[in-house]
Amino acid sequence: MGYRNLRQCVADLERSGRLVRIEREVDPYLEIGVIQRRVYRAGGPALLFTRVKGCRFPMLGNLFGTLERTRWLFRDALRGVEALVRARIDPRELLRHPADLVRLPLAAKNLLPRRARSGPVLQRSCSLAELPQLVSWPKDGGAFITLPQVYSEDPRQPGWRHSNLGMYRVQISGNDYGPDEAGMHYQIHRGIAIHHRAALEQGVALRVNVFVGGPPALTVAAVMPLPEGMPELAFAGLLGGRRLPLAVAANGLPVPAEADFCLSGWLDPQVLKREGPFGDHLGYYSLGHDFPVFRVERIHHRPDAIWPFTTVGRPPQEDTSFGTFIHELTGELIPEVLPGIRGVHAVDAAGVHPLLLAVGSERYTPYAEPGRPQELLTQASAILGQGQLSLAKYLWIANAGDEPPALHRIGDFFRFMLERVDWRRDLHFHTRTTIDTLDYSGRGLNQGSKLVIAAVGGPLRTLADRLPADLRLPEGFDDPTLPLPGILAVRAPVWSAPPYGEDGVLSVFCRMMEKRGAPDGIALVVLVDDPDFVARSLEDFLWVTFTRSDPAVDIDGVGAAVVHKHWGCEGPLVIDARLKAHHAPPLEELPELEKRVDELGAPGGPLHGII
């Protein structure tokens, strides 16, 4: 059986040597975040902070810090979940016809929550100011809940069967928020938006509960990309290995009886307030913007409540384990949802949404060798129309018939694509469209472009694995290096235009290279601020290139031309990946805090031998 609550989980982790207690007083302002990040990078255990400065609640970090530990937490239920996936069973049908559960694996019965008259979570209450005020980065606008489970229901169809449980940023201090107000930052393409719009159209406030803690399955369920109509509460029961008991919170909405905390209230239908800035999973600060105000009516908590948290920052972070675990659970279903697609990989090192790699199938003309991408383009459109995959900014898609390398071998996949891509034909832009809310490379909040790069057939070129002897850079460009075969990184002049402007550097480089001649073996050039940093690792190359460029604005090429409204280039493609005036600032660690954390890893310290 799975865990009934978080305290049960903590006890199990401690018994098995997978958790360390930190009994020294630690500060939730910056210090705890540094500790958690250091232990995560070391592949260390879960952390229970029992003495949190200024707060009576213990804090639990790094719970999902390794994939091995994440699998271990759900070891009792995984076989049942996998059996349902292999059987291609749609859980939504089971919820419509509960009697069918008796003919399915035992795990299926856990899909249905059960009613509870009360529960531990309703036994105590507190204020927002009494909650742990976790601040992870020095320029953060205040404290926010990093592992919230935000519950809402469709006001047109009340009840948990039409509910949404998502993980959205909830700011609980700072800026202009009152003592009973919080910021509700939800990004585009999130389920709560449908409920919020329905409430606004009816002229009513949207009731919302924010759960914190409870059985770990609730946290994972809140980030699962489930099909529309499949309530996350049902999946939490399936993954947790037991039916989820639901009590009723102050606002009348359900609350898991074994949750640790529940912030119960409603979204103000008339007031927006500035939320942020905050460090985010792209590795930058998401800037301050106006978002709905969550008016907190009451905060319920259990007597022995534990506050779980994570750190949001440049990948890899703890949510990397989330993503990998979720892919293991759902990866087999991709061909069912997207016919012809053999695999999809959202690249964590590039911030997930900025870069998607995929393998599709050219089946339109089985009687002939495909001479150009055909069905791959249809499949790319299907990917960009599917759930959160629609937030992808760059989509590179290969043909399975050409036997591309596995998608997780990212460097090999890039080499495969760059050997085959024809820049005159294989670039397909989506201009003036929506992109991830946290991506500031575009023309404004949620605004930017997308690029599909599709390649079919055999190699067209041999990629250089060392700097070409005939390389001659234009004046003002220097320090060339090869991060990957066929990819040239070049230092360009520092951005000099105002926000959302153009300083002409990209165009100057391309036009000058046309006069000088493109070097042999180079398929892609990336203009950057620091070529040495970009070439330091594959992760650094991916992060800089794909988080700092907007395809429609920051791409040009040597020998560029437009033919029948289709843009392409004869020579290398060029991406301008410099930091620009409208970009959000990147996150940076504080050396003085790093030194303080070093003391915890010294002999006699609680983290000795771990960090």
Side-chain angles (χ1 to χ4, degrees):
M1 292 289 287
Y3 302 115
R4 190 172 66 251
N5 53 49
L6 188 57
R7 186 162 290 274
Q8 214 179 56
C9 171
V10 166
D12 198 21
L13 287 167
E14 195 162 24
R15 279 194 302 270
S16 64
R18 291 176 166 87
L19 179 141
V20 168
R21 287 176 177 262
I22 309 293
E23 296 183 332
R24 298 184 187 182
E25 184 179 73
V26 288
D27 196 334
Y29 181 75
L30 302 179
E31 183 180 14
I32 282 183
V34 173
I35 296 171
Q36 190 271 329
R37 293 194 292 274
R38 287 279 295 277
V39 173
Y40 170 79
R41 287 197 295 267
L47 303 169
L48 185 66
F49 299 91
T50 60
R51 293 178 57 202
V52 179
K53 186 176 180 180
C55 181
R56 69 178 188 270
F57 299 111
M59 296 177 66
L60 175 66
N62 212 39
L63 177 62
F64 306 100
T66 69
L67 181 58
E68 178 275 331
R69 185 160 61 251
T70 305
R71 291 176 182 141
W72 185 84
L73 291 172
F74 304 107
R75 61 197 182 279
D76 294 335
L78 277 181
R79 287 187 179 179
V81 175
E82 291 165 353
L84 289 175
V85 170
R86 282 195 299 272
R88 303 297 194 267
I89 294 168
D90 188 343
R92 291 171 295 181
E93 289 301 315
L94 300 180
L95 296 175
R96 295 186 190 106
H97 308 287
D100 292 346
L101 292 173
V102 298
R103 298 194 298 272
L104 293 169
L106 273 176
K109 68 177 176 40
N110 297 319
L111 284 164
L112 292 176
R114 61 180 178 85
R115 283 186 187 174
R117 292 185 178 180
S118 187
V121 70
L122 299 178
Q123 293 179 16
R124 300 284 191 275
S125 62
C126 67
S127 66
L128 281 173
E130 294 176 276
L131 298 176
Q133 302 296 305
L134 178 71
V135 177
S136 299
W137 299 99
K139 295 179 183 177
D140 280 358
F144 77 97
I145 305 174
T146 55
L147 290 177
Q149 306 150 33
V150 181
Y151 179 88
S152 61
E153 294 180 358
D154 191 330
R156 300 162 299 187
Q157 296 176 291
W160 70 268
R161 293 174 188 271
H162 301 283
S163 67
N164 176 75
L165 188 70
M167 193 167 285
Y168 318 124
R169 198 164 65 204
V170 181
Q171 182 172 350
I172 58 175
S173 68
N175 293 355
D176 190 31
Y177 293 110
D180 299 316
E181 295 178 340
M184 183 64 69
H185 178 292
Y186 62 80
Q187 298 158 245
I188 58 173
H189 213 294
R190 298 301 194 267
I192 191 176
I194 298 171
H195 297 169
H196 196 187
R197 176 169 290 280
L200 292 173
E201 289 173 349
Q202 292 183 4
V204 299
L206 180 67
R207 294 182 298 164
V208 170
N209 278 341
V210 177
F211 316 141
V212 181
L218 273 169
T219 303
V220 175
V223 294
M224 280 292 295
L226 298 176
E228 196 166 321
M230 170 62 184
E232 288 82 4
L233 289 184
F235 183 83
L238 179 66
L239 183 60
R242 60 172 69 232
R243 293 180 67 186
L244 192 68
L246 296 179
V248 178
N251 63 359
L253 290 183
V255 52
E258 295 284 351
D260 286 77
F261 298 84
C262 174
L263 286 69
S264 185
W266 42 278
L267 296 189
D268 193 308
Q270 298 177 320
V271 178
L272 301 176
K273 287 193 176 183
R274 200 154 186 82
E275 188 270 357
F278 286 110
D280 64 46
H281 72 261
L282 268 70
Y284 305 87
Y285 287 96
S286 58
L287 305 179
H289 300 282
D290 288 346
F291 278 94
V293 172
F294 175 40
R295 300 207 174 273
V296 180
E297 184 178 345
R298 182 178 299 176
I299 301 177
H300 305 281
H301 72 85
R302 55 189 302 142
D304 55 355
I306 298 171
W307 185 268
F309 76 95
T310 189
T311 299
V312 185
R314 181 188 163 184
Q317 298 288 348
E318 189 176 359
D319 55 5
T320 300
S321 299
F322 269 121
T324 306
F325 181 67
I326 288 169
H327 183 74
E328 287 185 349
L329 291 178
T330 61
E332 288 186 38
L333 295 178
I334 286 176
E336 297 290 317
V337 177
L338 298 167
I341 298 294
R342 302 291 183 86
V344 174
H345 178 48
V347 179
D348 184 67
V352 182
H353 294 314
L355 177 61
L356 202 64
L357 310 181
V359 173
S361 311
E362 280 293 351
R363 304 169 300 183
Y364 278 177
T365 55
Y367 48 83
E369 286 294 321
R372 58 185 173 84
Q374 298 177 85
E375 190 177 3
L376 284 192
L377 300 181
T378 302
Q379 292 162 0
S381 294
I383 290 173
L384 294 180
Q386 179 66 36
Q388 292 192 32
L389 296 179
S390 67
L391 297 178
K393 184 169 62 173
Y394 286 88
L395 170 58
W396 297 62
I397 184 168
N399 176 31
D402 297 329
E403 300 184 354
L407 290 173
H408 67 273
R409 291 166 47 197
I410 298 171
D412 293 338
F413 188 84
F414 266 92
R415 181 167 195 153
F416 177 90
M417 290 289 291
L418 291 176
E419 286 174 341
R420 289 162 172 76
V421 67
D422 183 340
W423 297 131
R424 298 168 300 178
R425 178 193 66 198
D426 295 339
L427 299 165
H428 306 274
F429 289 88
H430 295 231
T431 60
R432 293 186 181 272
T433 186
T434 50
I435 61 173
D436 185 8
T437 303
L438 301 180
D439 191 330
Y440 286 88
S441 65
R443 302 288 94 181
L445 186 67
N446 298 327
Q447 301 175 47
S449 62
K450 301 179 187 295
L451 174 60
V452 173
I453 300 174
V456 167
L460 301 178
R461 63 180 66 83
T462 300
L463 302 179
D465 56 10
R466 63 187 66 186
L467 287 175
D470 61 342
L471 176 62
R472 293 188 305 131
L473 295 176
E475 185 177 350
F477 300 84
D478 57 27
D479 202 11
T481 186
L482 293 183
L484 291 170
I487 300 178
L488 180 69
V490 174
R491 186 192 310 278
V494 173
W495 177 265
S496 59
Y500 308 115
E502 294 185 32
D503 65 358
V505 166
L506 175 61
S507 178
V508 166
F509 179 86
C510 293
R511 305 296 82 79
M512 291 300 295
M513 290 302 293
E514 288 166 1
K515 295 178 180 178
R516 293 168 182 261
D520 291 335
I522 299 298
L524 174 64
V525 179
V526 185
L527 303 182
V528 298
D529 299 303
D530 186 350
D532 290 337
F533 177 82
V534 170
R536 188 177 66 177
S537 68
L538 175 61
E539 289 73 21
D540 291 331
F541 164 75
L542 295 169
W543 182 60
V544 169
T545 302
F546 297 105
T547 64
R548 299 183 183 180
S549 59
D550 174 15
V553 177
D554 296 323
I555 284 183
D556 201 334
V558 177
V562 176
V563 179
H564 300 156
K565 300 184 178 65
H566 181 89
W567 187 93
C569 58
E570 292 277 351
L573 189 74
V574 183
I575 300 178
D576 182 356
R578 295 172 295 158
L579 274 174
K580 304 171 181 73
H582 50 279
H583 288 183
L587 302 176
E588 295 179 349
E589 299 283 1
L590 294 176
E592 59 270 26
L593 280 176
E594 293 285 340
K595 292 179 182 178
R596 195 187 310 172
V597 174
D598 286 341
E599 297 175 6
L600 298 176
L607 297 178
H608 179 58
I610 296 175
I611 60 173

